[in-house]
Amino acid sequence: MPHSKVAVQIILAQAQHRRVWWPHTPLRVLNKKTQHPALKILAQASIGQPTRTQADVQRRLDKAVGLINTADLLAPFDRATYTAALVIWQAVADIPPADRSELLNRLNARDIKRLWRLAGQRYQASQQQLQLSVGSYDIWDDLPTELDQVTAFAGKAAIPISGVFKFQKAFFLHPKTDELYGRVQLQKGPLGNALYPLYYKASVMPSLVPATDELTDVQLDYQSPNDLGLQPEHIPKGWPKPKQPLYPFSGGLVDYCRLVAPGVFVGVGWKAPRPGRDVGRRFFHFILVRKYQ
């Protein structure tokens, strides 16, 4: 494989506004035997059991969406050891992978923005919490690891971007450097694909959102064609060649993404600073859910 397994990084310490990066054990969903008592108030699904009926899938979706809607209102048994991000992780991971895309229809703009904040609580989880609630999941399980592989995600913006709410992001590896790249598909037909190919270079590593110091796991940098390092022969067959991003994606844009659960990310777009005027600004929030054929 071009890539070795790369575990998600977790912050375990803070000191005087400086964050220390520490590797942690890879992520896995809680099972019933290791489930913390604080989660029992939410344990309605049969964790780890195969889904057999559509009603069961709907119940699991209802649980996950309900947690995202009401996480701020929950009263856990032990608030000191309760982490909403890990509870939501468990509920989303319990949804069969092919059915997680239904979250795009269930979550509204307010939910997506709330999920961004809640997902950030994972970085403050204690080592003990992480060891109990996470295991062998690797972020590269949901990203391409072979040169001929393309991994696609369905996305939804909290506000309409260029006239659309929903879009797709597709990831692939550079055939010469093995670096991770991707493009946005706005689903506006052939003309939209020609006008807005929107390629980006991806980095899977801890990073901070400028000005806010919000922690993230993945960054997608929409660079100019000259800076991307992509030639037509480097991209998947049939895709449009990279072009300079058009408005409203022009002027420098980076997407910062947080992992919510296997195959699910929540993110925020950040516009580049204007010379001598500011430190950049939020563009929009969005959610990504992996697509399965």
Side-chain angles (χ1 to χ4, degrees), residues 59-273:
R59 178 169 56 84
R60 296 175 189 223
L61 283 164
D62 289 344
K63 178 183 176 182
V65 173
L67 280 168
I68 295 168
N69 288 338
T70 62
D72 293 328
L73 304 176
L74 296 178
F77 294 125
D78 186 355
R79 191 172 292 275
T81 59
Y82 168 77
T83 302
L86 299 182
V87 180
I88 292 171
W89 174 286
Q90 175 186 352
V92 173
D94 199 36
I95 302 168
D99 294 298
R100 291 174 193 155
S101 60
E102 179 62 22
L103 292 171
L104 301 177
N105 298 323
R106 300 280 194 105
L107 298 177
N108 60 31
R110 185 174 298 178
D111 296 329
I112 295 172
K113 293 178 181 179
R114 183 185 302 110
L115 184 57
W116 167 262
R117 177 173 53 80
L118 294 171
Q121 294 182 18
R122 176 169 55 86
Y123 305 109
Q124 280 76 47
S126 69
Q127 183 68 31
Q128 182 180 11
Q129 286 176 298
L130 294 170
Q131 289 176 343
L132 285 173
S133 60
V134 302
S136 62
Y137 174 78
D138 190 300
I139 197 169
W140 285 98
D141 292 339
D142 288 307
L143 295 171
T145 55
E146 302 291 343
L147 293 179
D148 59 350
Q149 184 182 3
V150 175
T151 303
F153 287 77
K156 180 179 181 180
I159 59 173
I161 303 301
S162 193
V164 297
F165 275 103
K166 294 188 177 181
F167 55 90
Q168 294 187 80
K169 290 183 187 287
F171 293 83
F172 65 96
L173 296 178
H174 193 293
K176 291 187 176 181
T177 66
D178 290 344
E179 293 176 298
L180 186 64
Y181 285 82
R183 65 170 289 219
V184 179
Q185 298 166 299
L186 293 180
Q187 300 179 322
K188 298 185 70 173
L191 180 59
N193 287 335
L195 292 175
Y196 293 94
L198 288 178
Y199 286 88
Y200 52 80
K201 187 174 183 178
S203 300
V204 181
M205 61 181 295
S207 184
L208 301 175
V209 178
T212 68
D213 281 354
E214 294 170 293
L215 301 167
T216 64
D217 302 302
V218 180
Q219 303 81 46
L220 313 178
D221 191 353
Y222 298 82
Q223 301 175 7
S224 67
N226 292 335
D227 295 329
L228 272 176
L230 281 179
Q231 299 299 324
E233 62 270 21
H234 299 154
I235 62 180
K237 186 177 180 180
W239 285 17
K241 66 179 182 180
K243 293 182 179 180
Q244 191 73 24
L246 300 179
Y247 180 85
F249 307 98
S250 57
L253 173 65
V254 178
D255 288 340
Y256 292 89
C257 303
R258 289 172 165 174
L259 189 62
V260 175
V264 181
F265 292 87
V266 64
V268 61
W270 191 266
K271 295 287 287 185

